[in-house]
């Protein structure tokens, strides 16, 4: 039986985001209509090209490619962290961007991921979605993973989400 690439991706990775008309959690993903999201993704292309140049990756061995992928992931993670920071809480004198973040998130509906890119605010799930989109763009296999975020004394403080990556050599790598 022949299976389409999109069906194969969705089956193997339930978090494969379609670039147009998809969503996760509280955000809509549509690169065609979301100029801020498109610009964020396009502006990362030089990072991807620096570590994973088109045409060269096909000639790399698994270990060499995995090393290049890991370096690319770290650079994309930094790019994402520089573009989006955690907002201040509503109770701690939030700045204008944090206030806008809370208005969007507290609305109990979905909103454009690009709105968060514009105000440069978001929490782990928003940063993770952006990084996952970048990893997809780079052709690096990743999935979203979540779990408890505990304090050093093992007290539950909430949930957390991060990217779990499979490198070309089969090694697993957590990007957070």
């Amino acid at each position: 039986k022949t299976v389409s690439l999109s069906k194969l991706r969705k089956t193997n990775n339930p978090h494969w985001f379609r670039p147009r008309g998809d969503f996760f959690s509280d955000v809509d993903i549509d690169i065609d209509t979301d100029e801020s999201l498109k610009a964020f993704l396009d502006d990362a292309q030089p990072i991807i090209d620096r570590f994973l140049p088109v045409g060269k990756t096909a000639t790399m061995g698994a270990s060499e490619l995995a090393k290049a992928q890991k370096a690319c992931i770290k650079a994309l993670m930094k790019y994402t962290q520089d573009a989006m920071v955690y907002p201040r809480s509503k109770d701690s004198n939030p700045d204008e961007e944090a206030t806008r973040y809370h208005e969007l998130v507290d609305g109990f509906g979905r909103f454009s991921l690009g709105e968060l890119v514009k105000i440069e605010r978001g929490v782990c799930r928003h940063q993770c979605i952006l990084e996952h989109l970048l990893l997809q763009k780079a052709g690096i296999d990743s999935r979203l993973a979540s779990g408890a975020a505990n304090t050093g004394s093992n007290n539950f403080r909430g949930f957390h989400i991060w990217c779990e990556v499979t490198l070309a050599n089969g090694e697993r790598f957590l990007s957070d």
Side-chain angles (χ1 to χ4, degrees), residues 75-121:
L76 292 173
M77 184 171 36
K78 180 173 179 358
Y79 172 75
T80 303
Q81 289 171 339
D82 290 347
M84 181 180 284
V85 297
Y86 274 68
R88 288 183 178 172
S89 74
K90 290 187 282 188
D91 303 327
S92 66
N93 194 23
D95 56 14
E96 185 178 323
E97 291 80 7
T99 300
R100 178 66 182 136
Y101 168 84
H102 292 293
E103 289 170 357
L104 289 167
V105 172
D106 293 347
F108 300 106
R110 284 200 313 261
F111 50 89
S112 163
L113 182 56
E115 286 296 312
L116 298 180
V117 171
K118 273 190 244 179
I119 61 172
E120 301 176 346
R121 298 295 183 273

Side-chain angles (χ1 to χ4, degrees), residues 44-58 60-76 134-141 165-168:
Q45 191 61 51
I47 297 169
I48 296 167
D49 293 341
R50 180 175 25 158
F51 294 100
L52 303 170
V54 174
K56 185 177 180 204
T57 57
M60 293 175 158
S63 294
E64 182 185 10
L65 181 54
K67 185 177 178 181
Q69 288 174 322
K70 194 180 282 189
C72 185
I73 293 163
K74 288 178 179 180
L76 292 173
L134 290 169
L135 294 172
Q136 282 184 198
K137 184 176 178 81
I140 299 172
D141 180 40
V165 181
T166 303
L167 301 174

Side-chain angles (χ1 to χ4, degrees), residues 104-161:
L104 289 167
V105 172
D106 293 347
F108 300 106
R110 284 200 313 261
F111 50 89
S112 163
L113 182 56
E115 286 296 312
L116 298 180
V117 171
K118 273 190 244 179
I119 61 172
E120 301 176 346
R121 298 295 183 273
V123 294
C124 60
R125 71 179 172 275
H126 305 119
Q127 292 171 356
C128 187
I129 294 165
L130 286 174
E131 187 177 346
H132 186 64
L133 286 166
L134 290 169
L135 294 172
Q136 282 184 198
K137 184 176 178 81
I140 299 172
D141 180 40
S142 77
R143 292 167 178 73
L144 306 182
S146 63
N150 294 337
T151 65
S153 57
N154 208 28
N155 292 321
F156 178 74
R157 66 178 180 104
F159 289 101
H160 188 59
I161 188 168

